[in-house]
Amino acid sequence: SSPALPLTMLAVGSTAFVASVSMAVTLQFLPGHGTASVTKSNGTTTLVPGAQTTYTVVVTNAGPSAVTNAGVTDILPAALTMISWTCTASAGSSCGKSSGNVNLVNEPVSLTVGGTATFAVTVTVSSQATGTVTNTASVAAPNGVTDPNSANDSASDTDTLVVTADLAITKTDNA
């Protein structure tokens, strides 16, 4: 139902006029409400110890408001060593820094509604690593911002480590 609108009656001389009001209402959400989410993948389910891989971390703001200085964190597990990362943002959005070579710890991003920040995180897998490797990234709303869906604020990528060796043999006849 629509809210009641106050009407003003005007009297001019002995004639009364009632104003007729037609109004379109556009709902706006208050600033300080945004829905940030994060995804993470390196596009494979297996890793080779001693090799490099690049994880893609995408932070998205579904709105309804823009968000300033959301913090992105990606602390690598012991089996991975950081080489470097880069960040690119969609039009109107921004990354706090465009690149780095240490773990991401509350790296700020500012996102328009529908905006994204994409991190490419390149790492080396330890040559001694075995089993599986799980790498998790997360995004945190800045102070004063409410994220109504915190269930999508973290994403993990798990890969099985596959030991490989390129063996070769050469035989020479010394005769």
Side-chain angles (χ1 to χ4, degrees):
S1 79
S2 298
L5 298 174
L7 296 177
T8 304
M9 291 187 68
L10 300 173
V12 178
S14 62
T15 307
F17 297 92
V18 176
S20 171
V21 177
S22 174
M23 184 168 89
V25 177
T26 301
L27 295 177
Q28 281 189 332
F29 292 90
L30 296 174
H33 289 76
T35 301
S37 65
V38 65
T39 61
K40 180 173 192 147
S41 177
N42 63 347
T44 186
T45 58
T46 60
L47 292 175
V48 176
Q52 291 183 6
T53 191
T54 299
Y55 291 94
T56 301
V57 178
V58 180
V59 182
T60 304
N61 178 19
S65 299
V67 64
T68 301
N69 294 326
V72 179
T73 299
D74 185 358
I75 298 175
L76 300 177
L80 302 177
T81 301
M82 176 69 69
I83 294 175
S84 65
W85 58 263
T86 60
C87 181
T88 55
S90 61
S93 297
S94 64
C95 302
K97 295 181 204 162
S98 61
S99 63
N101 60 2
V102 296
N103 284 327
L104 295 163
V105 180
N106 283 325
E107 185 60 37
V109 295
S110 297
L111 304 172
T112 59
V113 174
T116 61
T118 302
F119 291 85
V121 181
T122 303
V123 300
T124 299
V125 181
S126 168
S127 60
Q128 305 303 312
T130 60
T132 61
V133 173
T134 300
N135 189 2
T136 301
S138 62
V139 62
N143 289 337
V145 174
T146 302
D147 185 345
N149 182 10
S150 61
N152 60 6
D153 291 354
S154 169
S156 296
D157 181 278
T158 300
D159 297 308
T160 302
L161 294 165
V162 179
V163 178
T164 61
D166 184 8
L167 302 174
I169 190 168
T170 304
K171 184 174 182 181
T172 308
D173 183 2
N174 290 331

